[in-house]
Amino acid sequence: MPVEMIGWIAPRVSSEIIPAQGPAFNAAVVAETARIHEEADFNRVLIGYFSDAPDGFILGAHAAQVTKRLGFLLAHRPGFVAPTVAARKLATLDQLCNGRLAVHIISGGRESEQAMDGDYVDHGGRYRRSAEYINILRRVWTASEPFDHEGEFYKFGRAYSDVKCLQNPHIPVYGGGGSQAAVELLSPGLDVFMLWGEPLDHTAAFMDRVRKASGKQPITFSLSTRPILAETEDKAWDRARDILVKITERTGGAANPKNQTAENIGSRRLLDAAKIAEVHDTCLYTALAAATGARGNSTALVGTPDTVAEALFEYYKLGATSLLIRGYDPSPDAIQYGRELIPKIRELVAGYDLGTA
């Protein structure tokens, strides 16, 4: 099937090597970033969720007004907006952007960040809540008459929404997590399970777990990495090591993965890979994940556009039909991906799909 390329949009320019500057919400940056990704032939952009960040619904509405084709993957955390209300908000935004919306259900971040919004539900409880939340979203989007619900976290009577998603039967639902609770509880309700960039053998094994847990629900995968490109292999690795130096300078010293712990189990998996080797497979670079504590999408694929395209293609062959790529210099990297990387990936996928049809 055709590969879905996903980028990243934020309310201001920043990254692990670029300090955030200016207002927390810059409408001009949002518009420019959205246009860059549309011109670079991305299918979607992820709109992240942070407990101190501007509202993603409004950011997405603004980006939709300056683009025609680009889709949006809106990160949303259950627990702060009732699922019946969220279902109407998401359906309304899907109508506004002419059917270009998807939602990424995030069960939770670090305990301290959850507390910023007043959430003290434990890890397992957050995933049980997410599973219930997803089920309610789907029912609200598709119900032809009011319905009642009483579950562990939500109870309501005669819920119904006049506004439906423009997409039929509803917008796609993405989600993920590295724990067994995430696999068992979320897989049956998701359309796309999102993964961070681990070694290929680790990724294949994890995908098998998700497929078994999803049961009869068809499920696909998204794989997130940080490509670092240059015209030669040596220049690409020089650039990657330069990024590591800049991160180290900002954090006050390179983190040692052997001494690190992380609340997030997905982060622990990346740190475990970094303990084993700095480079996995052909070009998966784990040192940057170790240097940042693996707080999110942080493993890089380093090399020429051909090398990195081939590396991403290997994940596609495992089942990652969506590929989320984000650079350390966000806008210039997105432009480079559009010119040098995305066309190569699409060509590899098209040839593979034709040969396996």
Side-chain angles (χ1 to χ4, degrees), residues 116-278:
M116 291 170 65
D117 281 331
D119 183 28
Y120 297 93
V121 176
D122 65 14
H123 177 272
R126 291 200 297 269
Y127 281 102
R128 295 195 307 275
R129 181 175 62 190
S130 290
E132 185 177 346
Y133 201 93
I134 292 168
N135 178 58
I136 294 169
L137 289 178
R138 290 180 179 274
R139 289 195 67 186
V140 172
W141 287 330
T142 58
S144 57
E145 57 186 30
F147 67 95
D148 300 336
H149 174 85
E150 184 171 355
E152 180 181 0
F153 294 94
Y154 301 102
K155 178 180 178 180
F156 50 80
R158 296 188 60 76
Y160 182 75
S161 175
D162 269 336
V163 61
K164 304 296 185 185
C165 301
L166 185 62
Q167 297 170 79
N168 185 34
H170 53 70
I171 67 175
V173 181
Y174 294 56
S179 68
Q180 187 60 27
V183 171
E184 293 180 352
L185 294 170
L186 295 189
S187 298
L190 298 177
D191 298 301
V192 183
F193 200 104
M194 301 192 74
L195 310 171
W196 288 335
E198 298 185 52
L200 288 166
D201 57 344
H202 297 189
T203 301
F206 195 92
M207 285 178 169
D208 285 343
R209 290 170 55 195
V210 172
R211 291 188 183 102
K212 291 176 182 176
S214 66
K216 296 181 180 180
Q217 166 72 12
I219 194 164
T220 59
F221 296 90
S222 171
L223 193 286
S224 301
T225 57
R226 310 290 292 273
I228 299 174
L229 307 179
E231 60 187 2
T232 68
E233 301 292 339
D234 287 345
K235 289 182 179 179
W237 283 104
D238 286 345
R239 186 182 173 201
R241 286 186 282 268
D242 181 62
I243 290 171
L244 179 61
V245 169
K246 290 178 179 178
I247 291 174
T248 301
E249 290 173 348
R250 289 196 67 191
T251 59
N256 182 351
K258 293 183 180 180
N259 299 326
Q260 286 192 30
T261 58
E263 291 180 21
N264 185 295
I265 294 176
S267 297
R268 293 181 204 170
R269 291 173 63 89
L270 298 186
L271 293 174
D272 286 344
K275 292 177 186 178
I276 297 169
E278 190 173 86

Side-chain angles (χ1 to χ4, degrees), residues 262-342:
E263 291 180 21
N264 185 295
I265 294 176
S267 297
R268 293 181 204 170
R269 291 173 63 89
L270 298 186
L271 293 174
D272 286 344
K275 292 177 186 178
I276 297 169
E278 190 173 86
V279 181
H280 290 261
D281 304 320
T282 58
C283 62
L284 181 70
Y285 188 44
T286 64
L288 298 176
T292 58
R295 293 182 176 180
N297 174 16
S298 51
T299 49
L301 292 172
V302 183
T304 65
D306 284 330
T307 296
V308 173
E310 290 281 357
L312 286 166
F313 178 53
E314 291 302 314
Y315 288 109
Y316 175 86
K317 289 194 291 184
L318 291 180
T321 54
S322 296
L323 299 172
L324 193 158
I325 54 176
R326 176 164 65 97
Y328 286 92
D329 194 356
S331 292
D333 283 346
I335 293 170
Q336 184 183 32
Y337 296 159
R339 290 175 179 170
E340 302 176 13
L341 183 60
I342 292 176

Side-chain angles (χ1 to χ4, degrees), residues 8-14 21-37 45 59 62-63 66-67 70 330-331:
W8 167 269
I9 192 169
R12 58 181 171 182
V13 175
S14 66
Q21 297 180 349
F25 180 83
N26 187 324
V29 168
V30 172
E32 179 186 18
T33 306
R35 293 191 188 102
I36 284 172
H37 280 80
V45 286
L59 192 158
H62 177 56
V66 299
T67 54
L70 187 68
S331 292

